[in-house]
Structure formats: structure tokens, C-alpha cells
Amino acid sequence: MSDLASSQLLKASAAQLPVHVYFDPDFYALEQKLLFGDAPRYYGHELMVPNAGDYHTLEWLGHGQMLKNVDGEVKLISNVCRHRQAVIYKGRGNGNHIVCNLHGWTYDQEGALIGAPHFPETPCLNLNQTPLTRWNGLLFDARRDIGKDLAKLGVAKHMSFDGYAFHSAHSTEYDFNWKTFIEVYSEDYHVDPFHPGLGNFVDCGDLKWEWGDHYHVQTVGVKNRLARAGSRVYGKWHEEVLRRYEQTQPEFGAIWLTYYPNIMVEWYPHVLVVSVAIPRGPEKTTVITEFYYPEEVVWFEPEFVEAEQAAYYETAKEDDEICYRMHEGRKALWLAGRSEVGPYQSPTEDGMQHFHEYYRRLMGDALAG
């Protein structure tokens, strides 16, 4: 290897993160302040509550807040009664009022208390609201200008939820650092050797990157016109995709958007998936995964949904193994007081490098040296 090539590899490797950032509780606390203090927080999509009066409680927040459709506008409202701090609802439903059935305290649709039985006067206690901002129907808190962050996103039209409906949301608990999940999501180097199903659905040899200050995008092609499935589960998914496209082919195999630090939006043929990796501690992560399909698929094509989600979770289980093996290796180094990094493979790991550079930029002096 030439000296120039060697120096370029060393420079690229320097962007990677020392192992202590995945385990040190003091560094984790600093990370929450410097990285997540101004980070966009995702709460769900407007399609979760499509009709006036609909509500959807957020399980990953302990059902402490709900999305509520108030005359066509979706609001984020506390789901904890102001009387004895009880959770009011769990799950999804519809109603013109918000009623806590423990003592009958009743609020209007926007959370204003309108009834408190046996009190001579109704206390001035209302359910708190969190201001929201929107992008393509995705709902975030209002701390960041999401539209500005994603204004130049080239694949934005493919991330449109027009004509789609919410199907389901799933929560998974992991015993590894949230960054490990983002790293595996941000590289294609492992797809062909480790994902027989996905590797015969998407063509990572046809890979295009898109970059922004707060995101990266991977767009990959369709593998060999879906002529050969890499697993039995993916065989069913191939059949459903080919049936829906009839004589044509999907334009892409997949589009994977990572909106830093921890939000992902995925496009597959007739599917949109939103995932969030929520830090719970240095070695604890909750991943929320939401599935959206065209309305006719949600209503009339359960076999399409079943095939797609089976394929998705086959790949997710394989990714879980990668995450845990990386976690175990890094922890062994950390316990031994060592830190090791390796080079990035370009172009398949360019997204991981971009994420690490973003992370270092925001963490600043905390990672100096």
C-alpha cells in the first residue's frame, strides 16, 4: 500500500468513535445534553389519527402522551389526569371528550378541564400540550426547523405518505448502545455476505448516496429483476411485489434515510417504514418501528402486509446479531482498557463515516484527542 493510501485510511479511521462512548455513563449523560438537547424528537405520523376525535397513545412514553385529532389538526396532549396523575387511555380510540373514568374528570378535545364531579367549582387544571412541527405528515416537537434541515432532500417525493394509511407500530428493547443500531443501518458493506434475503432483493452494487448536514440517504437498485429469492420468507415478498407491479419493475429496491441523530425513514415498494432508536442508557435502546402502506393494501391485501413484514423482520433479526456482536466486541475492549478502530470501506460505509463526523462535530471538545 502506498504512503498516500495508508494516510487516507488513517484519516478516515480517525472519524470512528472510541469504545468508551458506547459504555461510559458519564459520557452518555454528556451526550444527552450536547447531542439530544437540540435534536428533533419524533412522536408519530398524522395518519395514526386520521379522523376528527381519534386518539393514539404513545406506548414508548409510558402512554403519558397522546396524539389527538382536534377538528382535523393533530395535537400532542398529555394523557395523565390532573387529579391523581392516572393514565387516562391506552391504545387507540375516538371521542369528542377526554374522560378519566377513575373519578369522572372530563376534558374537551384540546385538554381543557370542563368537568370535575362534586367540586363546587371546576379547578383550572388543563392537560398540557407540546407544540409540534410537521414534515410530510411526520410529527416532531418544535425545537428544530425540520423543513430547513430537509429542504434539499432529493428523495423527498418518495417519502410522501399521500394515499397511505397507518398499519401498526412495534417496540423492541435492546441491550446495546443506540449508536450501534444507527451504524449498522448506515452501511451496506454487510448486506451481501450477511443478508441472503435482502441481498437478493436490493442491489448494493447500484448504490447512490445523498448528503446533508443532518442526514444521509442510501438508494439501492433492484437485484436481477427479483428473479431469485435468497430465502423462503423473501420468496413470498418477491411474489407480492411482482404481483403488484405486474409487468413493470420497482424503480428502486430501497431508499434509506437517516435523519440525525436517531430517526430513519425507509422506502420499499408500496411500503414506508419509520424507525426511531431511543437511548435509554449506555447499553439500553428502544426501537420504535411504524409501518405504512397504500390504503388499498391496508384494507384489502393482508397477504402483502404479512409477506413484507416477515421479510423486514427476517433482515432485522440478522441486523440484531450484528449489533450484539459489535457490542460484545467493543465491551471486551472497554473492559480491557483498550480502544481499536478500523478503516471504512468506500463507498458502502460512507454513511457510517458521515454519521461519525456529524457526531464528532456536535460533541466537540468532549471527543478531543
Side-chain angles (χ1 to χ4, degrees):
M1 180 181 293
S2 70
D3 290 343
L4 176 60
S6 179
S7 66
Q8 289 174 336
L9 282 177
L10 289 172
K11 182 179 179 181
S13 298
Q16 294 204 34
L17 308 180
V19 296
H20 76 270
V21 307
Y22 301 90
F23 304 100
D24 186 336
D26 291 335
F27 194 89
Y28 174 82
L30 187 61
E31 181 181 84
Q32 301 313 297
K33 177 181 177 181
L34 298 179
L35 191 71
F36 284 92
D38 187 40
R41 194 176 198 189
Y42 172 72
Y43 289 98
H45 196 283
E46 292 176 331
L47 292 174
M48 290 178 163
V49 285
N51 305 305
D54 284 352
Y55 66 82
H56 179 112
T57 68
L58 302 179
E59 181 181 4
W60 61 274
L61 288 173
H63 301 282
Q65 291 176 285
M66 72 173 90
L67 297 176
K68 179 78 168 145
N69 186 319
V70 181
D71 297 326
E73 181 182 0
V74 178
K75 300 191 175 185
L76 181 64
I77 300 175
S78 173
N79 188 39
V80 177
C81 183
R82 293 300 305 274
H83 180 228
R84 289 292 173 260
Q85 299 77 56
V87 166
I88 300 172
Y89 297 133
K90 287 187 177 181
R92 308 177 72 194
N94 182 282
N96 291 327
H97 299 96
I98 300 169
V99 181
C100 179
N101 62 5
L102 267 66
H103 301 100
W105 277 41
T106 301
Y107 307 83
D108 68 14
Q109 290 201 69
E110 300 200 44
L113 184 64
I114 57 176
H118 308 300
F119 276 77
E121 296 181 2
T122 300
C124 295
L125 296 171
N126 301 325
L127 302 176
N128 292 321
Q129 285 194 33
T130 301
L132 293 173
T133 187
R134 293 156 173 77
W135 182 82
N136 282 13
L138 301 171
L139 302 168
F140 304 86
D141 60 32
R143 291 180 294 178
R144 285 285 295 276
D145 187 339
I146 311 298
K148 182 179 179 181
D149 285 353
L150 301 176
K152 297 181 180 179
L153 185 67
V155 299
K157 66 178 181 179
H158 299 293
M159 300 297 177
S160 171
F161 288 76
D162 291 348
Y164 275 63
F166 170 71
H167 179 269
S168 56
H170 307 265
S171 177
T172 309
E173 302 297 327
Y174 292 110
D175 294 325
F176 52 71
N177 188 275
W178 69 275
K179 293 185 291 296
T180 304
F181 189 92
I182 300 299
E183 289 167 343
V184 173
Y185 185 86
S186 299
E187 57 98 347
D188 299 86
Y189 194 27
H190 72 276
V191 172
D192 284 339
F194 209 78
H195 292 315
L198 180 64
N200 281 280
F201 188 88
V202 303
D203 182 4
C204 290
D206 180 16
L207 167 64
K208 298 178 178 63
W209 290 101
E210 181 183 341
W211 312 107
D213 289 343
H214 298 277
Y215 64 84
H216 71 252
V217 181
Q218 307 159 76
T219 300
V220 290
V222 178
K223 189 69 157 287
N224 194 26
R225 299 181 63 83
L226 302 182
R228 177 180 175 275
S231 71
R232 180 187 60 81
V233 168
Y234 263 86
K236 295 290 187 182
W237 174 226
H238 283 217
E239 291 174 8
E240 288 299 321
V241 171
L242 291 171
R243 177 184 62 80
R244 280 205 122 249
Y245 277 86
E246 296 179 341
Q247 301 304 313
T248 63
Q249 285 282 309
E251 186 177 359
F252 312 107
I255 303 173
W256 297 311
L257 162 66
T258 306
Y259 180 31
Y260 299 152
N262 63 333
I263 300 164
M264 295 141 284
V265 184
E266 309 171 59
W267 178 100
Y268 301 98
H270 299 297
V271 189
L272 285 165
V273 183
V274 181
S275 299
V276 185
I278 303 168
R280 301 294 196 186
E283 300 179 63
K284 296 287 184 181
T285 301
T286 301
V287 174
I288 309 299
T289 308
E290 301 167 358
F291 292 92
Y292 300 83
Y293 303 91
E295 292 176 348
E296 66 271 17
V297 170
V298 171
W299 295 338
F300 304 117
E301 300 181 41
E303 64 281 358
F304 184 95
V305 173
E306 181 180 357
E308 187 277 329
Q309 292 193 15
Y312 186 93
Y313 279 110
E314 178 178 272
T315 297
K317 185 176 180 180
E318 294 161 355
D319 281 335
D320 293 350
E321 180 181 347
I322 299 173
C323 288
Y324 276 110
R325 287 170 62 178
M326 290 169 61
H327 172 80
E328 290 163 0
R330 287 167 170 167
K331 189 164 188 177
L333 291 172
W334 182 61
L335 292 173
R338 296 159 50 204
S339 186
E340 298 176 358
V341 297
Y344 300 96
Q345 198 289 323
S346 184
T348 60
E349 291 187 310
D350 288 355
M352 184 189 291
Q353 181 173 347
H354 190 265
F355 170 64
H356 286 164
E357 291 169 349
Y358 158 87
Y359 182 91
R360 282 184 170 275
R361 185 169 70 247
L362 267 67
M363 294 301 292
D365 291 341
L367 274 171

